[in-house]
């Protein structure tokens, strides 16, 4: 099997490429980081340095030549940034790739979306895939929602391609450039202290990247899935954020003091930081969205993924935390 993986130089895409190569698959990998691309080439992937924001359908078709599937992992995943950047990368690029796959009659198109489209600054538990939300917290959530709409519009237009949408919650693990790097930056900025709203006592879902790769594989090979189907993906072990982070810090031997602060106070601080960021153009250390994501309970219903995909996590939270800590330690030793 030959698979195109977008966003291959970091995060989920990087893990996906490494998994596919280990399985003996032929991989076309694209991304923006040429140094990481060189590493992927050494592993056996065919790497193409691509800026998705300017990708044409013709170029996308070239990338997909003789491919059996597309794993679209690339996204601008950030709580802060310019609206145009999110629209170009998360929405327009997805349209281009989905059209190219349909016109090339690629059998499987796996689109990685996000549960951020559910987020509404309230506590929510066991959210099902049919839940709708039209008031989005930021440009990231809004453009990922638009990308899902674009995918659904192509289901009937291109019947030879099966489009599947996955919504993994709170990705963490090797090659992560989103969740853990921001937390570790806050700890460094505050001299070993991490301030969490309500002390991180509220439970919510996280998902180890290896489990998301497993879900993508199932979505590719599982028969009788309906094109356009959407699945929540989590580790199926919601835990308080403080408990999860403390386990990770203990394994990393990081002396971090997790402190509690009132949500309203932190919300005011985040609002001020965003105001300063509007003037400087630099991402603030704290945003209202990232604060809310750390405060409000948000757990996802997993029944559809279990029943239709047959998805159950390969790695428990304990195993995932251990593997993540090992990888972070390895990165420190090679720096």
């Amino acid at each position: 099997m030959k698979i195109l993986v977008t966003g291959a130089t970091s995060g989920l895409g990087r893990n996906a490429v490494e998994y596919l190569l280990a399985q003996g698959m032929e991989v076309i990998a694209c991304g923006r980081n040429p140094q990481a691309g060189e590493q992927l080439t050494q592993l056996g992937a065919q790497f193409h340095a691509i800026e998705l924001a300017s990708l044409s359908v013709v170029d996308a078709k070239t990338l997909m030549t003789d491919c059996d599937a597309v794993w679209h992992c690339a996204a601008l995943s950030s709580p802060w940034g310019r609206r145009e950047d999110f629209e170009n990368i998360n929405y327009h690029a997805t349209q281009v790739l989905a059209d190219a796959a349909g016109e090339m009659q690629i059998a499987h198109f796996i689109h990685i979306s996000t549960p951020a489209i559910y987020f509404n600054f309230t506590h929510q538990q066991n959210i099902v895939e049919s839940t709708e939300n039209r008031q989005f917290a930021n440009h990231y959530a809004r453009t990922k929602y638009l990308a899902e709409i674009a995918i659904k519009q192509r289901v009937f237009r291109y019947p030879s391609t099966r489009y599947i949408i996955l919504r993994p919650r709170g990705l963490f693990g090797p090659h992560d450039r989103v969740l853990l790097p921001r937390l570790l930056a806050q700890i460094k900025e505050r001299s070993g202290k991490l301030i969490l709203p309500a002390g991180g006592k509220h439970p919510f879902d996280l998902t180890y990247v290896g489990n998301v790769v497993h879900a993508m594989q199932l979505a590719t090979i599982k028969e009788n899935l309906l094109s356009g189907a959407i699945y929540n993906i989590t580790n199926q072990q919601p835990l308080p954020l403080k408990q999860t982070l403390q386990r990770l810090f203990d394994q990393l031997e990081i002396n971090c003091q997790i402190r509690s602060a009132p949500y309203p106070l932190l919300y005011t601080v985040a609002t001020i930081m965003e105001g300063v960021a509007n003037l400087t153009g630099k991402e603030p250390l704290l945003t209202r969205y990232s604060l809310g994501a750390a405060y409000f309970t948000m757990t996802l219903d997993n029944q559809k993924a279990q029943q239709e995909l047959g998805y159950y996590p390969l790695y428990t939270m304990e195993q995932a935390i251990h593997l993540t800590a090992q990888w972070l330690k390895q990165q420190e030793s090679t720096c």
Side-chain angles (χ1 to χ4, degrees):
M1 183 174 282
K2 183 178 180 180
I3 297 179
L4 167 65
V5 179
T6 69
T9 55
S10 66
L12 177 60
R14 177 67 179 266
N15 285 273
V17 171
E18 292 181 358
Y19 166 81
L20 291 170
L21 291 173
Q23 297 300 310
M25 304 288 188
E26 186 176 355
V27 179
I28 308 298
C30 66
R32 293 188 296 172
N33 185 331
Q35 181 178 358
E38 186 175 333
Q39 295 171 353
L40 293 177
T41 299
Q42 292 173 356
L43 290 175
Q46 299 178 41
F47 177 73
H48 298 265
I50 295 291
E51 177 54 68
L52 284 183
S54 57
L55 185 69
S56 69
V57 173
V58 173
D59 291 336
K61 286 182 177 181
T62 300
L63 288 173
M64 296 177 191
T65 300
D66 297 326
C67 282
D68 302 289
V70 174
W71 287 10
H72 181 31
C73 304
L76 177 54
S77 178
S78 171
W80 184 261
R82 298 192 313 156
R83 182 181 66 182
E84 309 91 274
D85 293 335
F86 286 98
E87 289 180 346
N88 288 335
I89 296 173
N90 294 345
Y91 177 45
H92 296 303
T94 298
Q95 289 181 300
V96 168
L97 289 163
D99 279 333
E103 292 175 16
M104 294 281 286
Q105 298 187 355
I106 303 298
H108 310 283
F109 189 100
I110 312 304
H111 173 66
I112 301 301
S113 187
T114 174
I117 66 175
Y118 301 134
F119 185 78
N120 62 5
F121 291 97
T122 67
H123 294 291
Q124 302 178 83
Q125 297 188 55
N126 299 321
I127 305 170
V128 296
E129 287 86 347
S130 59
T131 301
E132 293 190 2
N133 176 29
R134 300 300 174 87
Q135 298 295 322
F136 301 107
N138 56 16
H139 297 315
Y140 170 64
R142 182 180 66 86
T143 53
K144 292 296 283 184
Y145 172 78
L146 291 175
E148 285 197 11
I149 297 299
I151 294 293
K152 293 175 186 176
Q153 290 171 343
R154 283 150 178 82
V155 168
F156 296 104
R157 190 182 305 173
Y158 303 113
S160 296
T161 298
R162 187 176 71 187
Y163 297 91
I164 300 295
I165 298 171
L166 304 182
R167 294 172 179 164
R169 164 72 170 149
L171 273 67
F172 74 99
H175 307 293
D176 173 29
R177 291 186 180 178
V178 179
L179 181 62
L180 291 178
R182 284 184 168 86
L183 288 173
L184 295 174
Q186 290 187 39
I187 294 170
K188 183 177 180 180
E189 179 77 14
R190 294 169 177 148
S191 303
K193 297 181 180 65
L194 179 63
I195 300 175
L196 295 176
K201 68 178 183 180
H202 296 148
F204 64 95
D205 283 312
L206 290 173
T207 318
Y208 182 63
V209 287
N211 288 329
V212 185
V213 173
H214 174 52
M216 288 194 288
Q217 176 70 354
L218 290 172
T220 304
I221 65 175
K222 195 78 173 180
E223 297 182 358
N224 302 321
L225 298 179
L226 293 177
S227 187
I230 301 171
Y231 299 98
N232 290 333
I233 303 297
T234 77
N235 246 70
Q236 301 178 8
Q237 288 179 270
L239 295 170
L241 181 59
K242 180 179 180 179
Q243 182 178 335
T244 301
L245 292 178
Q246 193 60 65
R247 289 180 182 178
L248 177 63
F249 297 153
D250 288 346
Q251 294 202 30
L252 290 174
E253 300 178 347
I254 293 177
N255 185 18
C256 176
Q257 301 176 40
I258 298 178
R259 302 287 182 84
S260 178
Y263 175 75
L265 173 62
L266 293 176
Y267 188 89
T268 301
V269 172
T271 302
I272 294 171
M273 286 185 171
E274 288 186 19
V276 173
N278 284 329
L279 298 175
T280 63
K282 183 180 179 181
E283 180 180 321
L285 194 61
L286 183 66
T287 66
R288 286 171 288 183
Y289 170 74
S290 57
L291 171 65
Y295 175 70
F296 291 105
T297 296
M298 193 165 90
T299 61
L300 309 186
D301 186 280
N302 295 281
Q303 293 185 62
K304 188 178 179 184
Q306 292 170 348
Q307 294 169 1
E308 296 183 13
L309 273 184
Y311 166 74
Y312 292 87
L314 294 180
Y315 304 90
T316 65
M317 284 298 293
E318 183 177 357
Q319 292 170 325
I321 290 169
H322 177 68
L323 290 169
T324 301
Q326 280 189 321
W327 184 82
L328 288 170
K329 287 180 179 179
Q330 184 180 30
Q331 301 312 298
E332 289 181 0
S333 65
T334 57
C335 289

mmCIF file with all atom_site columns, all heavy atoms in Angstrom, residues 166-178:
data_model
loop_
_atom_site.group_PDB
_atom_site.id
_atom_site.type_symbol
_atom_site.label_atom_id
_atom_site.label_alt_id
_atom_site.label_comp_id
_atom_site.label_asym_id
_atom_site.label_entity_id
_atom_site.label_seq_id
_atom_site.pdbx_PDB_ins_code
_atom_site.Cartn_x
_atom_site.Cartn_y
_atom_site.Cartn_z
_atom_site.occupancy
_atom_site.B_iso_or_equiv
_atom_site.pdbx_formal_charge
_atom_site.auth_seq_id
_atom_site.auth_comp_id
_atom_site.auth_asym_id
_atom_site.auth_atom_id
_atom_site.pdbx_PDB_model_num
ATOM 1   N N   . LEU A 1 166 ? -11.729 11.994 11.462 1.00 0.00 ? 166 LEU A N   1
ATOM 2   C CA  . LEU A 1 166 ? -11.412 11.627 12.842 1.00 0.00 ? 166 LEU A CA  1
ATOM 3   C C   . LEU A 1 166 ? -11.218 12.888 13.666 1.00 0.00 ? 166 LEU A C   1
ATOM 4   O O   . LEU A 1 166 ? -10.583 13.843 13.216 1.00 0.00 ? 166 LEU A O   1
ATOM 5   C CB  . LEU A 1 166 ? -10.143 10.776 12.895 1.00 0.00 ? 166 LEU A CB  1
ATOM 6   C CG  . LEU A 1 166 ? -10.120 9.488  12.066 1.00 0.00 ? 166 LEU A CG  1
ATOM 7   C CD1 . LEU A 1 166 ? -8.794  8.755  12.276 1.00 0.00 ? 166 LEU A CD1 1
ATOM 8   C CD2 . LEU A 1 166 ? -11.285 8.578  12.404 1.00 0.00 ? 166 LEU A CD2 1
ATOM 9   N N   . ARG A 1 167 ? -11.741 12.867 14.893 1.00 0.00 ? 167 ARG A N   1
ATOM 10  C CA  . ARG A 1 167 ? -11.592 13.999 15.811 1.00 0.00 ? 167 ARG A CA  1
ATOM 11  C C   . ARG A 1 167 ? -10.855 13.543 17.070 1.00 0.00 ? 167 ARG A C   1
ATOM 12  O O   . ARG A 1 167 ? -11.461 13.250 18.090 1.00 0.00 ? 167 ARG A O   1
ATOM 13  C CB  . ARG A 1 167 ? -12.965 14.561 16.196 1.00 0.00 ? 167 ARG A CB  1
ATOM 14  C CG  . ARG A 1 167 ? -13.745 15.192 15.053 1.00 0.00 ? 167 ARG A CG  1
ATOM 15  C CD  . ARG A 1 167 ? -15.166 15.547 15.493 1.00 0.00 ? 167 ARG A CD  1
ATOM 16  N NE  . ARG A 1 167 ? -15.936 16.179 14.426 1.00 0.00 ? 167 ARG A NE  1
ATOM 17  C CZ  . ARG A 1 167 ? -17.272 16.305 14.444 1.00 0.00 ? 167 ARG A CZ  1
ATOM 18  N NH1 . ARG A 1 167 ? -17.967 15.831 15.475 1.00 0.00 ? 167 ARG A NH1 1
ATOM 19  N NH2 . ARG A 1 167 ? -17.911 16.879 13.439 1.00 0.00 ? 167 ARG A NH2 1
ATOM 20  N N   . PRO A 1 168 ? -9.526  13.477 17.020 1.00 0.00 ? 168 PRO A N   1
ATOM 21  C CA  . PRO A 1 168 ? -8.764  13.082 18.204 1.00 0.00 ? 168 PRO A CA  1
ATOM 22  C C   . PRO A 1 168 ? -8.661  14.240 19.202 1.00 0.00 ? 168 PRO A C   1
ATOM 23  O O   . PRO A 1 168 ? -8.435  15.383 18.823 1.00 0.00 ? 168 PRO A O   1
ATOM 24  C CB  . PRO A 1 168 ? -7.397  12.709 17.635 1.00 0.00 ? 168 PRO A CB  1
ATOM 25  C CG  . PRO A 1 168 ? -7.284  13.526 16.377 1.00 0.00 ? 168 PRO A CG  1
ATOM 26  C CD  . PRO A 1 168 ? -8.675  13.673 15.843 1.00 0.00 ? 168 PRO A CD  1
ATOM 27  N N   . ARG A 1 169 ? -8.786  13.923 20.458 1.00 0.00 ? 169 ARG A N   1
ATOM 28  C CA  . ARG A 1 169 ? -8.826  14.935 21.511 1.00 0.00 ? 169 ARG A CA  1
ATOM 29  C C   . ARG A 1 169 ? -7.501  15.046 22.249 1.00 0.00 ? 169 ARG A C   1
ATOM 30  O O   . ARG A 1 169 ? -6.983  14.062 22.777 1.00 0.00 ? 169 ARG A O   1
ATOM 31  C CB  . ARG A 1 169 ? -9.940  14.578 22.502 1.00 0.00 ? 169 ARG A CB  1
ATOM 32  C CG  . ARG A 1 169 ? -9.898  15.282 23.843 1.00 0.00 ? 169 ARG A CG  1
ATOM 33  C CD  . ARG A 1 169 ? -10.263 16.739 23.747 1.00 0.00 ? 169 ARG A CD  1
ATOM 34  N NE  . ARG A 1 169 ? -10.430 17.295 25.081 1.00 0.00 ? 169 ARG A NE  1
ATOM 35  C CZ  . ARG A 1 169 ? -10.167 18.557 25.408 1.00 0.00 ? 169 ARG A CZ  1
ATOM 36  N NH1 . ARG A 1 169 ? -9.716  19.386 24.486 1.00 0.00 ? 169 ARG A NH1 1
ATOM 37  N NH2 . ARG A 1 169 ? -10.351 19.003 26.626 1.00 0.00 ? 169 ARG A NH2 1
ATOM 38  N N   . GLY A 1 170 ? -6.907  16.246 22.264 1.00 0.00 ? 170 GLY A N   1
ATOM 39  C CA  . GLY A 1 170 ? -5.743  16.527 23.095 1.00 0.00 ? 170 GLY A CA  1
ATOM 40  C C   . GLY A 1 170 ? -4.557  15.621 22.811 1.00 0.00 ? 170 GLY A C   1
ATOM 41  O O   . GLY A 1 170 ? -4.114  14.877 23.690 1.00 0.00 ? 170 GLY A O   1
ATOM 42  N N   . LEU A 1 171 ? -3.998  15.704 21.613 1.00 0.00 ? 171 LEU A N   1
ATOM 43  C CA  . LEU A 1 171 ? -2.892  14.828 21.224 1.00 0.00 ? 171 LEU A CA  1
ATOM 44  C C   . LEU A 1 171 ? -1.631  15.120 22.031 1.00 0.00 ? 171 LEU A C   1
ATOM 45  O O   . LEU A 1 171 ? -1.278  16.282 22.269 1.00 0.00 ? 171 LEU A O   1
ATOM 46  C CB  . LEU A 1 171 ? -2.575  14.990 19.732 1.00 0.00 ? 171 LEU A CB  1
ATOM 47  C CG  . LEU A 1 171 ? -3.380  14.128 18.755 1.00 0.00 ? 171 LEU A CG  1
ATOM 48  C CD1 . LEU A 1 171 ? -4.836  14.535 18.755 1.00 0.00 ? 171 LEU A CD1 1
ATOM 49  C CD2 . LEU A 1 171 ? -2.803  14.242 17.363 1.00 0.00 ? 171 LEU A CD2 1
ATOM 50  N N   . PHE A 1 172 ? -0.946  14.056 22.432 1.00 0.00 ? 172 PHE A N   1
ATOM 51  C CA  . PHE A 1 172 ? 0.356   14.199 23.063 1.00 0.00 ? 172 PHE A CA  1
ATOM 52  C C   . PHE A 1 172 ? 1.206   12.992 22.711 1.00 0.00 ? 172 PHE A C   1
ATOM 53  O O   . PHE A 1 172 ? 0.710   11.942 22.312 1.00 0.00 ? 172 PHE A O   1
ATOM 54  C CB  . PHE A 1 172 ? 0.233   14.346 24.581 1.00 0.00 ? 172 PHE A CB  1
ATOM 55  C CG  . PHE A 1 172 ? -0.110  13.073 25.309 1.00 0.00 ? 172 PHE A CG  1
ATOM 56  C CD1 . PHE A 1 172 ? 0.874   12.322 25.927 1.00 0.00 ? 172 PHE A CD1 1
ATOM 57  C CD2 . PHE A 1 172 ? -1.426  12.619 25.384 1.00 0.00 ? 172 PHE A CD2 1
ATOM 58  C CE1 . PHE A 1 172 ? 0.563   11.144 26.602 1.00 0.00 ? 172 PHE A CE1 1
ATOM 59  C CE2 . PHE A 1 172 ? -1.749  11.451 26.053 1.00 0.00 ? 172 PHE A CE2 1
ATOM 60  C CZ  . PHE A 1 172 ? -0.753  10.712 26.666 1.00 0.00 ? 172 PHE A CZ  1
ATOM 61  N N   . GLY A 1 173 ? 2.517   13.151 22.841 1.00 0.00 ? 173 GLY A N   1
ATOM 62  C CA  . GLY A 1 173 ? 3.442   12.071 22.536 1.00 0.00 ? 173 GLY A CA  1
ATOM 63  C C   . GLY A 1 173 ? 4.655   12.590 21.792 1.00 0.00 ? 173 GLY A C   1
ATOM 64  O O   . GLY A 1 173 ? 4.891   13.805 21.718 1.00 0.00 ? 173 GLY A O   1
ATOM 65  N N   . PRO A 1 174 ? 5.452   11.693 21.213 1.00 0.00 ? 174 PRO A N   1
ATOM 66  C CA  . PRO A 1 174 ? 6.648   12.098 20.474 1.00 0.00 ? 174 PRO A CA  1
ATOM 67  C C   . PRO A 1 174 ? 6.336   13.074 19.353 1.00 0.00 ? 174 PRO A C   1
ATOM 68  O O   . PRO A 1 174 ? 5.280   12.998 18.724 1.00 0.00 ? 174 PRO A O   1
ATOM 69  C CB  . PRO A 1 174 ? 7.171   10.764 19.912 1.00 0.00 ? 174 PRO A CB  1
ATOM 70  C CG  . PRO A 1 174 ? 6.674   9.733  20.866 1.00 0.00 ? 174 PRO A CG  1
ATOM 71  C CD  . PRO A 1 174 ? 5.334   10.216 21.318 1.00 0.00 ? 174 PRO A CD  1
ATOM 72  N N   . HIS A 1 175 ? 7.255   14.004 19.132 1.00 0.00 ? 175 HIS A N   1
ATOM 73  C CA  . HIS A 1 175 ? 7.200   14.995 18.055 1.00 0.00 ? 175 HIS A CA  1
ATOM 74  C C   . HIS A 1 175 ? 6.090   16.033 18.247 1.00 0.00 ? 175 HIS A C   1
ATOM 75  O O   . HIS A 1 175 ? 5.764   16.770 17.312 1.00 0.00 ? 175 HIS A O   1
ATOM 76  C CB  . HIS A 1 175 ? 7.047   14.320 16.685 1.00 0.00 ? 175 HIS A CB  1
ATOM 77  C CG  . HIS A 1 175 ? 8.074   13.273 16.403 1.00 0.00 ? 175 HIS A CG  1
ATOM 78  N ND1 . HIS A 1 175 ? 9.407   13.572 16.240 1.00 0.00 ? 175 HIS A ND1 1
ATOM 79  C CD2 . HIS A 1 175 ? 7.964   11.919 16.274 1.00 0.00 ? 175 HIS A CD2 1
ATOM 80  C CE1 . HIS A 1 175 ? 10.081  12.444 16.013 1.00 0.00 ? 175 HIS A CE1 1
ATOM 81  N NE2 . HIS A 1 175 ? 9.229   11.445 16.040 1.00 0.00 ? 175 HIS A NE2 1
ATOM 82  N N   . ASP A 1 176 ? 5.509   16.088 19.447 1.00 0.00 ? 176 ASP A N   1
ATOM 83  C CA  . ASP A 1 176 ? 4.462   17.079 19.733 1.00 0.00 ? 176 ASP A CA  1
ATOM 84  C C   . ASP A 1 176 ? 5.048   18.481 19.758 1.00 0.00 ? 176 ASP A C   1
ATOM 85  O O   . ASP A 1 176 ? 6.059   18.724 20.413 1.00 0.00 ? 176 ASP A O   1
ATOM 86  C CB  . ASP A 1 176 ? 3.814   16.762 21.088 1.00 0.00 ? 176 ASP A CB  1
ATOM 87  C CG  . ASP A 1 176 ? 2.836   17.835 21.544 1.00 0.00 ? 176 ASP A CG  1
ATOM 88  O OD1 . ASP A 1 176 ? 2.244   18.501 20.671 1.00 0.00 ? 176 ASP A OD1 1
ATOM 89  O OD2 . ASP A 1 176 ? 2.659   17.992 22.763 1.00 0.00 ? 176 ASP A OD2 1
ATOM 90  N N   . ARG A 1 177 ? 4.409   19.404 19.040 1.00 0.00 ? 177 ARG A N   1
ATOM 91  C CA  . ARG A 1 177 ? 4.839   20.803 19.052 1.00 0.00 ? 177 ARG A CA  1
ATOM 92  C C   . ARG A 1 177 ? 3.737   21.736 19.546 1.00 0.00 ? 177 ARG A C   1
ATOM 93  O O   . ARG A 1 177 ? 3.826   22.946 19.380 1.00 0.00 ? 177 ARG A O   1
ATOM 94  C CB  . ARG A 1 177 ? 5.252   21.237 17.644 1.00 0.00 ? 177 ARG A CB  1
ATOM 95  C CG  . ARG A 1 177 ? 6.533   20.578 17.142 1.00 0.00 ? 177 ARG A CG  1
ATOM 96  C CD  . ARG A 1 177 ? 6.950   21.155 15.816 1.00 0.00 ? 177 ARG A CD  1
ATOM 97  N NE  . ARG A 1 177 ? 8.161   20.547 15.299 1.00 0.00 ? 177 ARG A NE  1
ATOM 98  C CZ  . ARG A 1 177 ? 8.700   20.851 14.133 1.00 0.00 ? 177 ARG A CZ  1
ATOM 99  N NH1 . ARG A 1 177 ? 8.117   21.753 13.355 1.00 0.00 ? 177 ARG A NH1 1
ATOM 100 N NH2 . ARG A 1 177 ? 9.806   20.268 13.722 1.00 0.00 ? 177 ARG A NH2 1
ATOM 101 N N   . VAL A 1 178 ? 2.695   21.155 20.112 1.00 0.00 ? 178 VAL A N   1
ATOM 102 C CA  . VAL A 1 178 ? 1.531   21.963 20.480 1.00 0.00 ? 178 VAL A CA  1
ATOM 103 C C   . VAL A 1 178 ? 1.286   21.946 21.986 1.00 0.00 ? 178 VAL A C   1
ATOM 104 O O   . VAL A 1 178 ? 1.471   22.950 22.675 1.00 0.00 ? 178 VAL A O   1
ATOM 105 C CB  . VAL A 1 178 ? 0.269   21.481 19.734 1.00 0.00 ? 178 VAL A CB  1
ATOM 106 C CG1 . VAL A 1 178 ? -0.944  22.323 20.139 1.00 0.00 ? 178 VAL A CG1 1
ATOM 107 C CG2 . VAL A 1 178 ? 0.477   21.567 18.236 1.00 0.00 ? 178 VAL A CG2 1
#
